[in-house]
Amino acid sequence: MTTPTISYHQFRAEHDVVRDPRRASQRDRSRRAVILTLLTLFLPGGAQTTAGSRKLGRFALAVTIGCWFVLLLGLIMFFTLRSVLLSALTQPFLMWVGSVVLAALAIGWLILWVDTLRLIRFTTLAPGFKPIIGVALVLATLLTSGGLGYGAYLLNESRQALAGIFSGGPAIDAAEGRYNFLLMGADAGEGRQGLRPDSIHVISVNESSAETIIFSIPRNFQNAQFAADSPLNEVYPNGYNCGNDCIINFLYTETQNNYAHLYPDAQDPGAAAMMDAAAGTLDMTMHGYVMVDMAGFSELIDAMGGVTVESGGWVPYRGQRPDGSGWGDTWFEPGVHTFDGDEALAFARSRDHSSDFNRIQRQQCIQQAMIAQFTPQTLLTRFTDIMAAGENLVETDLPQSQLGSLMNLAAEAQEHDPQRLTLGAPDFGSAGDNFSTYPDFEQIRARVDELLANEEANEDQDDDAQESPAQAQDEADTESETDQSSEDSPAGPTPDQDDPAVSDDEPEVETPAEPSELTQPDGSPLTVEYLIAAEDRGETGILQEAASTNGECSPAQ
C-alpha cells in the first residue's frame, strides 16, 4: 500500500519595494523616487506614511489637512464674509502669528524634503536618473519651503509697514450712510518753503452700495469755509478769505506754522485744518485723510519699475532739453510714454500754458495707471522697494483696526463708475468765470445734493431691476397690450396728415468738422524743438493751443 504524499505550498509575501527597495530593479527604484517626490510635493507627510516613519507622516498629514481646511475656509469667507476676512488679515497680532506659522511650515516642509531624500536612497538610483531627481528635489524645495519662507518675510514686512502708516485709534462710523475721506497730493516743490497739497480730492463712498463721488478742489480755490466745530472759525469767521494769500493749498503750511496749537490732539494739524476746510466747503463730515508725498510718489513709481500712460496733448515741463543744451523748458509729446518717477511727477505737476483742470486730469490718470499696473507680479518681485517707498509716501489718520473693512469697501467701489465734480471750470463755468476765486457755496452744495440724489436714484433702479420673474412677466404683458393698442389706434399723424414737426424743406444739420491737427507754419507736424523755440520767442498762442488737450490722458499697457 502506497502512502499518499502531502504537498505543502510555501507562501512567501511579495517583496515590498516601496519600503525596502534594495532588491528592486533600477526601474522600480526610479518609479519609487518619483512617487515619493510627488507625495511630498502634493501631500506632505504622504511619503513618510508610505515608506518611512509613520508617526512623522501622520503628524505631517494632520498639519496638511489643517492647512487645506484653513485655506478652504478663507476662500469661502472671501466670497461670503470678505470684510471680516480682510479685517482679520490686517490685524497686527494676527499678521505676526501668520508670519510665525508660515516660517514654521517652511521649516517643517524642509524637514520632510530632507527625509524624502533619505527615503529615496539617492545612491541606489540609476546614474542617468540621479541628476533628474536631484534637480526636481531642489526646485520643489525652493517652491514649497522657499515660497513659504518668503511669504513669512512679506507678511512681517507688511505688518511693520502698515504699523508705520496707519494709526492705532478706534474704528470710525459712517455719517449719513457715507464715508468721506480727504486725499491730498503734497509737494514741497522747487523753490518752495514748506509742504503744500497741490492735489486735493474728497472721496465720498456710500457705506451700503459702495457708490462713489469724487470732488476735486483746485489748489487755488479761495474763501474756503470751515466746518462748524473747526477752531479756525475763530481766526477766519468768514472763511479763508484774505485774497490770493489764502488759496486753499496755503492753508496747510499756515496752520503748521501759526495755528498748530488749535489742534493739540492732531498728529498733523495742517491735515486737520484741510479736512475742516473740505468739510465746510462741501457741507460734509470728513472721516479721515490720506496724504501722498509727491517725493515718495516718485520713489514708489521707480520701485514699481515705471508707469505707462497715453497722453492726448503736449505737456510742458522742466527737464533736459533734447538738443543737449542743458536743463530748461521742454515738452512731453502726445502718445504713449513709460515714465520713471521723476518724469511721472513732472507730467502730473505741469500747469504752464494749460488749466488746473487739465492738471487734475493728468494727476488722476497717473493714479489710475499706477493702480492698473500694480499687479501681484510687481508686488512680489519688487516688494522690498515698494514697502520702503510706501512708508515715505503715505501719511494718514485712518485706523489700522478698520483697514480690512475699508479695503473691502474700496474693492466694491471699483465695480462702479464714480460721479465727479470739480469746484471750478468746467463744472462751474469756464476758466474765465473765475469760480475758484469767487465761489458760490450755495451752488456747490446744490450740486452736491444733486449728485447724492442721482446716487439714490441709481440705487432705486438697481432695486427695481431685482424684481421677481412674475412681476417682470406681468409688466411685459402690460407693455405688449399697450403696444397692440397703439398699433390699432396710432396717436401720431398718418401719411395723409401734416406733421408740423417734419418738413421736407428743413435743412440738414451739418456734422461739425474734426479739429485740424496743429502744425508748424510750413505745414509740418509740431516738434519738441519747434515748441522750445516758440517759447523762447514768446509765442504763447501756439503753446497754449498745443497744451490745451494735455488733460486727455489714459493708462496704457
Side-chain angles (χ1 to χ4, degrees):
M1 180 174 172
T2 304
T3 303
T5 303
I6 301 175
S7 298
Y8 294 92
H9 295 282
Q10 297 181 353
F11 294 94
R12 182 172 56 88
E14 186 177 350
H15 179 62
D16 189 349
V17 175
V18 175
R19 284 203 162 268
D20 185 8
R22 287 174 297 178
R23 285 179 286 177
S25 66
Q26 285 190 341
R27 183 178 181 182
D28 287 339
R29 286 198 292 267
S30 298
R31 288 178 176 176
R32 175 179 178 275
V34 172
I35 291 171
L36 295 180
T37 301
L38 292 176
L39 282 172
T40 304
L41 178 62
F42 294 107
L43 193 65
Q48 284 68 34
T49 303
T50 303
S53 169
R54 287 190 171 93
K55 184 176 181 180
L56 174 62
R58 288 165 183 163
F59 177 77
L61 284 174
V63 173
T64 300
I65 294 171
C67 291
W68 282 113
F69 175 78
V70 170
L71 290 175
L72 179 61
L73 179 62
L75 183 64
I76 294 172
M77 290 182 67
F78 181 81
F79 290 105
T80 59
L81 297 169
R82 184 168 59 180
S83 178
V84 175
L85 176 65
L86 293 176
S87 295
L89 293 177
T90 52
Q91 298 305 308
F93 176 73
L94 290 180
M95 294 180 75
W96 177 81
V97 170
S99 63
V100 171
V101 169
L102 288 178
L105 290 174
I107 295 171
W109 216 334
L110 179 62
I111 292 173
L112 293 179
W113 281 119
V114 173
D115 189 58
T116 299
L117 177 62
R118 178 186 66 83
L119 295 174
I120 286 174
R121 302 191 182 187
F122 192 76
T123 57
T124 66
L125 299 177
F129 191 68
K130 287 180 180 179
I132 297 175
I133 200 67
V135 171
L137 286 171
V138 170
L139 291 178
T141 303
L142 290 175
L143 176 66
T144 55
S145 294
L148 287 173
Y150 187 60
Y153 164 76
L154 294 183
L155 192 57
N156 188 57
E157 287 289 303
S158 299
R159 177 182 64 86
Q160 295 177 355
L162 292 177
I165 293 173
F166 291 89
S167 76
I172 52 180
D173 296 322
E176 299 181 355
R178 307 191 70 82
Y179 285 107
N180 306 309
F181 306 107
L182 179 64
L183 175 62
M184 296 177 287
D187 186 13
E190 187 179 345
R192 289 186 175 182
Q193 294 182 352
L195 198 70
R196 295 181 193 168
D198 281 345
S199 172
I200 308 167
H201 306 280
V202 172
I203 315 298
S204 180
V205 188
N206 188 302
E207 180 185 24
S208 58
S209 69
E211 294 277 358
T212 305
I213 305 173
I214 301 176
F215 301 97
S216 299
I217 305 176
R219 55 178 289 278
N220 62 347
F221 189 87
Q222 295 187 26
N223 200 30
Q225 304 296 290
F226 295 106
D229 58 351
S230 172
L232 284 175
N233 280 319
E234 299 177 6
V235 183
Y236 298 102
N238 297 316
Y240 195 47
N241 65 343
C242 59
N244 291 335
D245 290 336
C246 282
I247 63 176
I248 194 169
N249 83 323
F250 286 2
L251 177 62
Y252 181 91
T253 304
E254 182 174 358
T255 302
Q256 292 285 79
N257 293 339
N258 302 317
Y259 302 113
H261 62 280
L262 297 178
Y263 295 93
D265 298 327
Q267 66 178 22
D268 189 330
M274 293 294 294
M275 283 198 295
D276 283 351
T281 297
L282 296 172
D283 194 21
M284 303 179 78
T285 300
M286 293 294 118
H287 294 94
Y289 74 91
V290 177
M291 185 162 66
V292 179
D293 182 2
M294 300 306 281
F297 173 84
S298 174
E299 291 179 20
L300 179 60
I301 290 177
D302 284 336
M304 290 176 57
V307 65
T308 304
V309 300
E310 182 172 3
S311 175
W314 294 85
V315 181
Y317 72 103
R318 297 280 294 173
Q320 292 292 333
R321 289 192 167 188
D323 60 2
S325 60
W327 187 268
D329 295 331
T330 185
W331 297 74
F332 291 120
E333 301 180 28
V336 176
H337 298 271
T338 298
F339 293 131
D340 62 22
D342 289 340
E343 290 169 339
L345 197 56
F347 181 82
R349 276 176 175 166
S350 175
R351 71 169 63 94
D352 292 340
H353 311 302
S354 62
S355 66
D356 271 343
F357 179 69
N358 283 10
R359 187 172 189 258
I360 290 171
Q361 288 180 302
R362 278 184 270 109
Q363 290 171 349
Q364 293 177 347
C365 175
I366 291 288
Q367 294 165 3
Q368 292 165 2
M370 289 177 65
I371 293 171
Q373 295 162 38
F374 195 75
T375 61
Q377 296 91 333
T378 302
L379 180 62
L380 290 174
T381 57
R382 299 175 178 270
F383 182 83
T384 302
D385 292 337
I386 289 173
M387 286 294 103
E391 290 189 59
N392 298 325
L393 171 69
V394 178
E395 174 192 315
T396 181
D397 64 346
L398 296 177
Q400 186 175 356
S401 62
Q402 203 169 2
L403 179 58
S405 60
L406 294 179
M407 287 174 59
N408 181 62
L409 189 62
E412 292 178 355
Q414 290 184 344
E415 300 174 2
H416 306 281
D417 292 329
Q419 299 186 82
R420 298 177 183 272
L421 182 69
T422 298
L423 306 190
D427 291 334
F428 291 90
S430 63
D433 294 328
N434 294 322
F435 185 88
S436 298
T437 305
Y438 308 102
D440 184 328
F441 293 96
E442 289 187 4
Q443 284 191 41
I444 291 174
R445 289 157 189 169
R447 293 290 294 277
V448 171
D449 292 341
E450 180 183 338
L451 293 178
L452 294 175
N454 288 342
E455 186 177 283
E456 293 177 1
N458 291 337
E459 289 182 33
D460 292 340
Q461 290 177 358
D462 292 339
D463 292 340
D464 292 341
Q466 296 175 1
E467 62 186 356
S468 66
Q471 289 174 317
Q473 184 61 46
D474 290 343
E475 291 186 6
D477 293 342
T478 303
E479 290 177 2
S480 176
E481 293 174 1
T482 303
D483 292 341
Q484 183 65 39
S485 175
S486 298
E487 290 176 6
D488 295 340
S489 303
T494 64
D496 297 332
Q497 296 172 321
D498 292 332
D499 184 354
V502 179
S503 172
D504 293 337
D505 298 330
E506 184 176 351
E508 295 183 1
V509 178
E510 295 184 1
T511 303
E514 292 281 339
S516 58
E517 184 178 352
L518 287 176
T519 61
Q520 299 182 36
D522 61 3
S524 59
L526 290 181
T527 63
V528 173
E529 292 77 9
Y530 174 79
L531 291 175
I532 290 174
E535 187 164 6
D536 292 341
R537 294 192 300 266
E539 298 174 358
T540 59
I542 185 65
L543 304 179
Q544 291 173 354
E545 198 170 357
S548 62
T549 59
N550 67 22
E552 299 174 5
C553 174
S554 60
Q557 296 293 338

